[in-house]
Amino acid sequence: MFLTEEQELLQQTVYDFAQNELKPRAAKFDEQEFIDQDILTSMGELGLMGVCFPDEYGGAGMDMVCYAIAVEEISRVCAATGITLAAHISLGTNPIYLFGSEEQKQKYLPKLCSGEELGSFGLTEPNAGSDAGGTETTAIRKGDEWVLNGTKMFITNGSLAWTSVNTAMTDKSKGLKGISAFVIERGTPGFSVGEKIHKMGIRGSDTTELIFEDCHIPAENLLGEENEGFKQFMIILDSGRISIGAMALGIAQGAFDEALRYSKEREQFGRPIGSLQETQFKLADMATEIEAARHLVYHASRLKDAGKSYSKQSAMCKVYASEVAVRTCIKAIQIHGGYGYTKEYPVERMFRDSKLTTIGEGTSEIQRIVIAKNLLTD
Ligand code: COS
């Protein structure tokens, strides 16, 4: 895959970090259901926590392709760390970068981009998943404050984040056009972290409920224009889908790496199983699909970098890469035989991790709706 010198250098740096520092601890993070803090600190030191934001806000000033590569290489060995990075950048930090006032950017971005603090994004609710516009959380203006009430669900980085961008209904009569976004800081009275959610996969990542009970925030914590929240989060999800595509790509590549290695090591019938045609066909299909997924993820990223429309391509890369990740993990387990079904080999964890990518930041069904809408209106 053609990469610029900067992208290649970043890829090598993240690959080395992931293979040396992260891989040996990925199973432990899965088991303990959290990522050790020093990993996030190291990613901050490498410039990854603000990789695609401008230097003036403390970012590394790199492009979307670099960001996708970072998420891919991290997820190749530990998808829980991959999603922590992806949610921090594309959901927690990006809304402030895209829609925040200069004052909000100066206040929040430097600490988020350095990795000193984490960000989160509260969109999903118990009754508003795919129908994200059906938000039941409300924000009512009272003098120079907004008062929030409601519950957010499945929030990545929920208990770790300093800043949380949340959507709330500000004018119910206007439906989708009555939703707004707000920045809420950790420690604000009336804002609390609810249940930790125990998941099938990406267990090391922090997923919680967020609860707002008469939570008063200053009027200036509104993000962008009042009642523009739905469009804002559609834009955020467009680039968020590249993140999940990159994460899925990384999981698929990681499972393939394991399957390839095992095919060379494992002997049956007096020879390595990689010399059997049935293994070779699996490996060939896996490698071909991963390559196609990589093209889609990098293409969507390049369109974004070029300032072109990429809504259709980000949905395409997300739906394709996530389904490739699941298929690749299943094949990788099959190549490992009985051992692949045990916790002794990472493909068991990777399979559990892969399933999330067909659900989070828009299910496969939602991606197909977005693709079809684009096809019919192009
Ligand atoms: N960029 C900018 N604006 C967009 C947009 C995009 N990608 N997509 C939609 N909009 C705008 C539309 O232009 C429209 O505005 P106007 O009425 O001013 O023209 C408005 O948003 C409503 O668009 P649309 O009619 O397409 O909305 P729908 O209710 O049909 O949206 C889907 C349906 C399914 C696409 C939407 O609800 C969705 O993406 N749901 C999934 C949410 C999700 O991914 N949840 C998981 C979050 S995990 S953080």
Side-chain angles (χ1 to χ4, degrees):
M1 180 78 56
F2 169 77
L3 295 176
T4 63
E5 211 173 302
E6 180 177 72
Q7 291 160 355
E8 255 179 29
L9 190 64
L10 187 273
Q11 183 180 48
Q12 190 60 50
T13 306
V14 185
Y15 174 85
D16 290 343
F17 166 73
Q19 298 290 325
N20 299 331
E21 309 294 328
L22 205 46
K23 191 173 178 180
R25 293 158 74 182
K28 178 184 140 200
F29 295 167
D30 180 62
E31 190 62 31
Q32 72 190 17
E33 292 190 77
F34 64 87
I35 295 162
D36 293 342
Q37 176 61 42
D38 66 292
I39 288 290
L40 303 179
T41 307
S42 301
M43 293 203 300
E45 284 163 5
L46 288 173
L48 302 183
M49 303 303 271
V51 63
C52 52
F53 298 110
D55 329 354
E56 59 184 300
Y57 298 119
M62 293 185 184
D63 58 20
M64 190 69 183
V65 176
C66 284
Y67 165 61
I69 289 171
V71 173
E72 175 189 347
E73 290 300 336
I74 298 280
S75 303
R76 186 170 174 177
V77 300
C78 181
T81 307
I83 202 170
T84 303
L85 172 67
H88 164 73
I89 288 200
S90 77
L91 298 180
T93 310
N94 202 29
I96 300 175
Y97 173 63
L98 286 184
F99 309 117
S101 62
E102 195 48 42
E103 221 177 325
Q104 287 169 329
K105 290 189 208 183
Q106 296 292 352
K107 179 173 181 191
Y108 297 120
L109 292 180
K111 278 190 190 171
L112 292 170
C113 288
S114 68
E116 186 183 334
E117 295 284 1
L118 273 184
S120 76
F121 182 62
L123 171 65
T124 301
E125 297 185 2
N127 296 319
S130 292
D131 180 13
T135 180
E136 291 172 351
T137 296
T138 55
I140 294 170
R141 182 75 189 247
K142 288 202 174 144
D144 56 2
E145 290 184 329
W146 289 95
V147 184
L148 274 70
N149 277 287
T151 302
K152 296 291 177 178
M153 190 69 175
F154 303 135
I155 308 307
T156 306
N157 300 341
S159 77
L160 305 174
W162 168 47
T163 53
S164 187
V165 173
N166 281 262
T167 54
M169 194 60 92
T170 33
D171 187 345
K172 204 171 170 32
S173 67
K174 292 191 179 149
L176 297 183
K177 294 192 169 138
I179 297 172
S180 306
F182 302 89
V183 187
I184 298 107
E185 292 177 33
R186 180 174 54 219
T188 305
F191 172 42
S192 60
V193 175
E195 295 277 302
K196 177 179 174 80
I197 296 161
H198 302 282
K199 310 180 297 293
M200 169 192 190
I202 58 155
R203 285 159 46 92
S205 90
D206 178 62
T207 313
T208 67
E209 289 179 348
L210 298 180
I211 299 166
F212 299 99
E213 288 168 309
D214 284 331
C215 172
H216 290 243
I217 57 169
E220 65 263 24
N221 283 26
L222 174 73
L223 202 57
E225 297 295 315
E226 189 177 337
N227 297 331
E228 284 290 315
F230 186 82
K231 269 197 193 172
Q232 289 172 349
F233 70 69
M234 285 291 115
I235 293 168
I236 291 302
L237 290 179
D238 276 344
S239 66
R241 285 163 187 160
I242 298 179
S243 311
I244 304 299
M247 182 185 156
L249 171 61
I251 296 172
Q253 183 64 55
F256 177 80
D257 295 343
E258 295 299 324
L260 184 65
R261 193 179 45 73
Y262 193 77
S263 302
K264 292 179 189 166
E265 280 171 18
R266 172 75 169 165
E267 293 201 357
Q268 289 290 276
F269 307 107
R271 53 188 176 143
I273 59 169
S275 67
L276 303 171
Q277 206 174 42
E278 52 269 34
T279 307
Q280 294 174 357
F281 284 178
K282 284 192 187 68
L283 291 172
D285 285 347
M286 291 155 90
T288 305
E289 288 197 330
I290 291 169
E291 193 69 7
R294 183 168 291 113
H295 277 276
L296 284 176
V297 171
Y298 290 14
H299 177 57
S301 306
R302 286 182 177 129
L303 286 175
K304 181 172 191 290
D305 284 332
K308 303 219 158 117
S309 144
Y310 65 97
S311 182
K312 179 177 72 181
Q313 288 80 2
S314 70
M316 283 177 165
C317 86
K318 202 265 187 191
V319 70
Y320 186 74
S322 62
E323 293 181 1
V324 164
V326 174
R327 281 199 291 276
T328 305
C329 288
I330 290 174
K331 288 192 183 110
I333 290 176
Q334 198 67 21
I335 287 173
H336 282 72
Y339 290 109
Y341 200 64
T342 69
K343 292 207 177 285
E344 222 177 296
Y345 286 83
V347 288
E348 179 269 344
R349 166 174 46 84
M350 291 168 169
F351 174 55
R352 287 186 285 104
D353 291 348
S354 70
K355 190 64 192 120
L356 179 275
T357 63
T358 68
I359 299 170
E361 288 192 47
T363 59
S364 292
E365 290 76 7
I366 289 291
Q367 305 314 316
R368 290 186 167 91
I369 290 174
V370 172
I371 294 165
K373 269 191 183 214
N374 275 277
L375 293 174
L376 294 165
T377 54
D378 264 356

